[in-house]
Amino acid sequence: HGCWQVGGGNFVRSDSPYIAASSLKDLPLSEVLICAIDLWENLEIDDDELLEIAIRDVSHQIQKKKSLVEDELIGISHDKNWPEECKKIQSRHKKCTERSSMSLDLDICNSFSKEYPIDRFDPKKDPTVLYLVMNQLTCALDDFTYRVEPSKRITMFDPVFEGVGTLSIKNASIKLKIDCRKERIKKFGGEVTVPVLQLQELDVGLEQVKFRFKETGADWLLNKIVSNFTKGITQLVRDNMMEQISLSINDVLEHLNSYIEVNPDIMLKILGISIDDLEENIAWV
């Protein structure tokens, strides 16, 4: 229609890496549509919302072009609320941009520092060898197949749903702390003390988990039902994530400790301490 030109109206070229790698590359887009694509990419809006915004924006631009050609404003009146909606989308995008960057705090004991001996690892003050905090994590699982059915089918008419779904997790956070302590073990027919790494703290947080059914024939009904259980689904996903992360970390630490058990002097030398500096691990029963 002759109005999609860079520099004309609100059309610009986006520097978004997603747009640059897609079929939208080098295509002039309105500012509001760029904001909507960024929101969709960050899982702030779903496919249907992005499609609605795109249709309304393109329709608005066509009507705007017609009004300029015909020297009248009748065409713009088809969607009077669109300018206000554009402001809301851009405001939402601004808030998303302000908090979208993932934060990472990593603190590893400064055992190798020779310039600052005060900061060297002192297990008597703090036995932490690794403290890790990750915030504002976002992940998505698209187009996975599922089957929903009663645990016990009473009749052949019990409902069974199969289809494709999407799962999005917003603003996840992970915090963990690993300490170094010492343990007594049986070795060479006697008892020896060796350093061990232990997971002392693990916390997983989730702001929201969204699950959507697709291609079931009853998407509108199932998605409405699921929306009423968002808090329960979020808590369930959080608990499962925490369990799996804990199992994975403990499995890694078990392998590391098996190596440390054979070579305790290497670990002590890396930390710059002696075995007497470590607190003994006490198992409460």
Side-chain angles (χ1 to χ4, degrees):
H1 293 274
C3 60
W4 274 270
Q5 297 177 3
V6 174
N10 292 322
F11 287 93
V12 296
R13 293 195 189 278
S14 172
D15 56 0
S16 166
Y18 174 82
I19 293 177
S22 70
S23 57
L24 298 175
K25 181 181 180 181
D26 296 329
L27 181 67
L29 301 172
S30 68
E31 292 180 358
V32 68
L33 190 53
I34 291 173
C35 290
I37 292 173
D38 281 343
L39 288 170
W40 172 78
E41 186 183 1
N42 288 291
L43 306 177
E44 293 290 332
I45 61 175
D46 58 25
D47 298 353
D48 295 337
E49 290 174 295
L50 176 61
L51 183 60
E52 179 186 352
I53 292 171
I55 292 173
R56 292 180 68 181
D57 184 53
V58 171
S59 176
H60 173 77
Q61 298 299 337
I62 292 174
Q63 296 299 330
K64 186 177 180 181
K65 179 64 176 178
K66 285 183 178 180
S67 70
L68 294 174
V69 173
E70 298 170 5
D71 194 23
E72 59 184 18
L73 300 176
I74 299 176
I76 300 179
S77 65
H78 289 292
D79 196 348
K80 293 181 179 179
N81 297 326
W82 182 237
E84 188 63 31
E85 291 292 328
C86 288
K87 293 179 181 178
K88 291 181 180 179
I89 293 169
Q90 290 172 321
S91 175
R92 186 175 176 183
H93 177 258
K94 183 179 179 181
K95 292 179 180 178
C96 174
T97 304
E98 289 174 351
R99 60 177 173 80
S100 62
S101 57
M102 183 191 79
S103 65
L104 172 65
D105 284 336
L106 179 62
D107 184 12
I108 302 176
C109 65
N110 195 6
S111 304
F112 299 101
S113 174
K114 294 182 179 179
E115 295 183 49
Y116 308 100
I118 296 177
D119 295 329
R120 291 173 66 83
F121 179 54
D122 186 353
K124 292 181 179 179
K125 293 182 179 179
D126 184 4
T128 304
V129 294
L130 175 64
Y131 183 73
L132 176 67
V133 178
M134 292 187 292
N135 293 316
Q136 296 182 345
L137 300 172
T138 300
C139 57
L141 183 61
D142 294 324
D143 296 335
F144 63 88
T145 57
Y146 66 86
R147 178 184 176 90
V148 179
E149 62 181 340
S151 56
K152 291 183 179 180
R153 301 191 64 177
I154 301 175
T155 70
M156 63 180 295
F157 300 106
D158 289 345
V160 176
F161 298 99
E162 292 181 318
V164 178
T166 61
L167 181 72
S168 62
I169 299 175
K170 291 173 41 179
N171 288 349
S173 62
I174 300 174
K175 179 171 69 174
L176 65 90
K177 185 165 79 90
I178 296 176
D179 289 358
C180 183
R181 300 180 183 272
K182 62 183 178 183
E183 273 187 359
R184 299 178 186 274
I185 62 170
K186 300 290 184 180
K187 189 175 181 181
F188 305 125
E191 191 175 68
V192 296
T193 306
V194 296
V196 292
L197 299 176
Q198 293 181 325
L199 178 63
Q200 290 295 324
E201 182 181 347
L202 174 63
D203 183 59
V204 176
L206 296 178
E207 178 184 308
Q208 189 180 50
V209 175
K210 286 185 178 181
F211 180 80
R212 291 180 64 86
F213 293 95
K214 298 193 299 184
E215 302 178 13
T216 63
D219 300 350
W220 63 274
L221 176 61
L222 293 174
N223 288 327
K224 185 64 177 178
I225 294 173
V226 168
S227 65
N228 295 325
F229 298 96
T230 300
K231 289 185 178 179
I233 294 174
T234 300
Q235 184 63 38
L236 181 63
V237 172
R238 176 191 173 278
D239 292 343
N240 279 301
M241 282 183 62
M242 191 162 179
E243 181 182 358
Q244 293 303 316
I245 292 173
S246 177
L247 289 172
S248 298
I249 293 175
N250 283 319
D251 185 54
V252 171
L253 292 180
E254 184 179 347
H255 284 82
L256 286 174
N257 286 331
S258 64
Y259 176 80
I260 294 172
E261 181 181 326
V262 180
N263 306 279
D265 293 338
I266 295 179
M267 182 64 178
L268 294 172
K269 188 173 182 180
I270 290 174
L271 297 176
I273 59 174
S274 68
I275 194 67
D276 295 329
D277 294 326
L278 295 171
E279 293 182 4
E280 188 162 358
N281 180 42
I282 300 176
W284 299 96
V285 294

